[in-house]
Amino acid sequence: MNCSEPRLPALLSALLRELRRAGNASTGTGVGPGGDASLYILLIMIFYGCLAGGLILAYTRSRKLESKHDPYHLYIERDWGRG
């Protein structure tokens, strides 16, 4: 879809009007001056929370201690420990 088409801005503005009308009908109050900003901040916080969680999970998985029951370590203990 080409973003320079005249239908896209009309569609987006109609969607925004519908969302604002639905919000006014459900809450009884209009969208305040910071209504869109709070949604933006919430989305950014969710994004960075998921990013931080993913980085922490990746770091902890990469730093797992090697198991003493690993066959390689058992081989080293059994065959090289005799000397």
Side-chain angles (χ1 to χ4, degrees):
M1 174 183 254
N2 189 0
C3 292
S4 63
E5 292 181 18
R7 293 183 299 170
L8 184 63
L11 179 66
L12 291 176
S13 64
L15 179 64
L16 182 62
R17 278 191 306 247
E18 184 64 32
L19 288 174
R20 285 188 177 168
R21 186 172 0 131
N24 289 342
S26 66
T27 61
T29 60
V31 175
D36 292 337
S38 63
L39 180 63
Y40 175 74
I41 291 170
L42 179 67
L43 289 174
I44 294 299
M45 287 175 60
I46 290 171
F47 170 75
Y48 281 113
C50 291
L51 181 66
L55 288 174
I56 290 170
L57 186 64
Y59 178 76
T60 55
R61 285 188 177 189
S62 71
R63 303 294 289 178
K64 278 187 179 176
L65 296 175
E66 294 180 359
S67 174
K68 292 190 177 198
H69 301 293
D70 187 12
Y72 179 73
H73 291 293
L74 293 175
Y75 164 75
I76 297 290
E77 279 181 27
R78 186 179 63 230
D79 291 342
W80 289 20
R82 293 181 188 160

